[in-house]
Amino acid sequence: MVKRRIWLMIALVALLALISGCSQVNQPITPESKGFWNHYIVYPLSWLITYVAKLFDSNYGLSIIIVTILIRLLILPLMIQQTRNAKAMQALQPELQKLREKYSSKDMQTQQKLQQETMLLFQKHGVNPLAGCFPILIQTPILIGFYHAIMRTREIANHNFLWFDLGDKDPYFILPVVAGVATFIQQKMMMAGTEQQNPQMAMMLWMMPIMIIIVGINFPAALSLYWVVGNIFSIVQTYFIKGPDLKSTHSGGKKK
């Protein structure tokens, strides 16, 4: 299931990158820009960032922070559901391990039986193994849309914030590193207690932050700013949702 989820994420990112890359990427975004991607994703984000910036004396960095928080609040119900689903998946790990041991043979018939029993177990406990993908499915077009909005809205790309220009790379690589660290902390909190049970999840724990740092180094600093704010929001959110579990996991580690 985890492998399928990883491949689903990779396929989605590749598809959206292909679609967005073919949508007048070098042309300024305007209300007259044609195409579904431009009209319903890029321009609304560009308009919202510009509108909020005008409320704060054309401070586009502050606008990106505010819009990011608004977006996170909008998808908060999905994130809460993802967290609850992750807790339910963690609780099912012992039973899933028993099923893997029971159907350990690698022949096709046995593996089909394992999948059937696994799905029945999920249905019995009301767990959706793909629920963790929903926030990513929503955030991926927003993330790529942010990149296009920044690159194709001159007002955004031509402004600076703190020590960096929003339309250029962070000259000191501070934002990409902070974005990667924040991603690691957020994922570590989400996966608390599951890394040893699921090697694929442990791999994702390190792979995603590294990917974000690499992308952040090569993309406009405004994109890293979006990641930093979004992940800090997620860290706070995860702490309040999984606080008791995080404390029990931490104290359990101390006892050992």
Side-chain angles (χ1 to χ4, degrees):
M1 290 294 177
V2 176
K3 288 183 179 179
R4 289 180 184 177
R5 190 184 303 177
I6 293 172
W7 282 112
L8 176 62
M9 293 183 215
I10 294 173
L12 179 67
V13 171
L15 177 61
L16 285 171
L18 178 63
I19 294 173
S20 62
C22 299
S23 58
Q24 305 170 331
V25 66
N26 295 320
Q27 298 179 19
I29 188 71
T30 68
E32 289 74 34
S33 296
K34 297 180 179 179
F36 178 89
W37 176 260
N38 288 326
H39 193 69
Y40 293 101
I41 304 294
V42 181
Y43 179 72
L45 285 170
S46 172
W47 177 87
L48 183 58
I49 295 171
T50 303
Y51 176 79
V52 175
K54 289 177 180 178
L55 299 177
F56 295 92
D57 196 26
S58 296
N59 190 327
Y60 283 87
L62 181 60
S63 175
I64 289 174
I65 293 173
I66 293 172
V67 172
T68 301
I69 293 174
L70 289 175
I71 291 171
R72 290 289 177 162
L73 288 172
L74 186 65
I75 65 173
L76 184 58
L78 280 176
M79 300 300 292
I80 292 173
Q81 181 61 36
Q82 179 193 26
T83 305
R84 289 175 177 170
N85 194 77
K87 290 171 66 176
M89 285 288 290
Q90 183 179 349
L92 287 180
Q93 287 304 313
E95 294 186 56
L96 288 171
Q97 184 59 37
K98 289 179 181 178
L99 286 177
R100 295 188 195 104
E101 293 172 357
K102 181 179 179 180
Y103 300 103
S104 58
S105 178
K106 299 301 180 182
D107 63 276
M108 185 178 296
Q109 186 176 358
T110 303
Q111 288 301 301
Q112 287 179 347
K113 185 65 176 176
L114 173 60
Q115 290 181 6
Q116 291 173 1
E117 292 289 335
T118 301
M119 293 308 298
L120 286 173
L121 182 64
F122 288 151
Q123 291 174 9
K124 177 183 176 182
H125 294 274
V127 175
N128 182 0
L130 295 178
C133 297
F134 294 154
I136 296 173
L137 290 173
I138 293 175
Q139 287 186 75
T140 301
I142 293 174
L143 185 61
I144 299 175
F146 249 74
Y147 166 68
H148 277 254
I150 292 161
M151 295 299 294
R152 298 169 62 186
T153 305
R154 293 172 182 171
E155 294 88 348
I156 298 174
N158 294 335
H159 277 74
N160 55 23
F161 182 67
L162 300 177
W163 67 89
F164 52 87
D165 293 328
L166 291 169
D168 294 328
K169 305 171 187 177
D170 182 342
Y172 306 112
F173 309 125
I174 295 173
L175 277 180
V177 172
V178 174
V181 171
T183 301
F184 178 85
I185 294 172
Q186 192 269 334
Q187 290 195 146
K188 185 74 173 177
M189 293 171 70
M190 284 290 296
M191 299 177 186
T194 64
E195 300 97 325
Q196 294 180 350
Q197 297 172 356
N198 199 321
Q200 286 92 2
M201 296 297 282
M203 178 184 69
M204 287 293 292
L205 178 65
W206 292 98
M207 188 171 72
M208 286 300 294
I210 292 172
M211 287 176 59
I212 283 180
I213 291 174
I214 293 173
V215 172
I217 288 174
N218 293 284
F219 277 64
L223 196 63
S224 293
L225 180 62
Y226 166 77
W227 266 325
V228 169
V229 177
N231 282 322
I232 290 175
F233 184 96
S234 295
I235 289 170
V236 175
Q237 163 202 300
T238 305
Y239 176 80
F240 281 105
I241 297 174
K242 293 189 68 176
D245 295 335
L246 294 170
K247 290 177 182 177
S248 62
T249 301
H250 182 63
S251 60
K254 280 187 174 181
K255 288 178 183 178
K256 291 178 181 179

